[in-house]
Amino acid sequence: MRDTNCIFCKLANGEIPTNAIYEDEDFKVILDASPASRGHALILPKEHYANIYEIESETLAKATKLAQKIITHETEVLGCDGYNIVQNNGEIAGQTVFHFHMHLIPRYKEEDNAGVIEWNHLEFSDEEMREICESMKM
C-alpha cells in the first residue's frame, strides 16, 4: 500500500522527478538530493513501510540484495574506496522521513568526511555486559 502523503512514496512511484539510477517492480534507487558523498543513493521501496519493523521480510531481503548489486556496480563506476550502508529507524536514530529506505554512501579516501559515521563509545563492566547479553538472548 502507498501513502499519498509520503514524499518517498511519491519519489519511488514517479510522481516527483528524481535522478533514478535503477528501477524494478519493487524499488526505485535514486541519488540523494542532499548527499554525504558523490554517488550517495537511496533504495526506496515502492510500497509504504514506515521502518524496518513494518517492512515484509521478503521485501527487506530483496532490498539487501539490491544494495549489494548497486554498491558493486557503483564501486566499479565511481572508484570509491569503501561504502556505508545506513538504515535508520525512529527519530532518535536519525530517521527523518518515515518511509523505510537504505542509504548507500560511497566513501573516498580524499574526502574530508571519509569514514565519518560516529557515536560516543560506551564502556560497560564485565558484569553489565553479561546482564545485557542475558537480557537480549532469543
Side-chain angles (χ1 to χ4, degrees), residues 22-39:
Y22 177 87
E23 185 170 6
D24 63 26
E25 65 185 30
D26 298 313
F27 301 96
K28 185 178 260 188
V29 182
I30 66 172
L31 293 180
D32 193 303
S34 184
S37 69
R38 185 170 48 94

Side-chain angles (χ1 to χ4, degrees), residues 42-135:
L42 301 175
I43 295 178
L44 305 175
K46 292 184 176 180
E47 296 297 323
H48 184 79
Y49 310 96
N51 50 45
I52 200 167
Y53 306 109
E54 292 185 7
I55 193 167
E56 297 166 351
S57 297
E58 298 79 19
T59 306
L60 179 59
K62 287 180 185 179
T64 302
K65 288 179 182 179
L66 180 56
Q68 181 184 37
K69 178 178 180 174
I70 297 294
I71 69 170
T72 299
H73 175 72
E74 283 194 357
T75 298
E76 292 172 11
V77 172
L78 299 174
C80 57
D81 301 299
Y83 246 96
N84 292 116
I85 299 174
V86 179
Q87 200 284 308
N88 303 316
N89 295 281
E91 187 175 348
I92 193 69
Q95 186 178 12
T96 58
V97 178
F98 295 89
H99 178 112
F100 175 91
H101 58 286
M102 296 173 77
H103 291 263
L104 308 177
I105 307 171
R107 295 303 189 160
Y108 305 89
K109 290 178 187 173
E110 71 275 1
E111 286 187 354
D112 290 340
N113 66 353
V116 177
I117 292 188
E118 296 184 16
W119 53 81
N120 294 327
H121 294 270
L122 303 176
E123 290 187 30
F124 295 98
S125 69
D126 290 344
E127 180 62 28
E128 289 170 315
M129 289 296 280
R130 280 191 293 278
E131 288 173 8
I132 294 166
C133 181
E134 285 303 314
S135 72

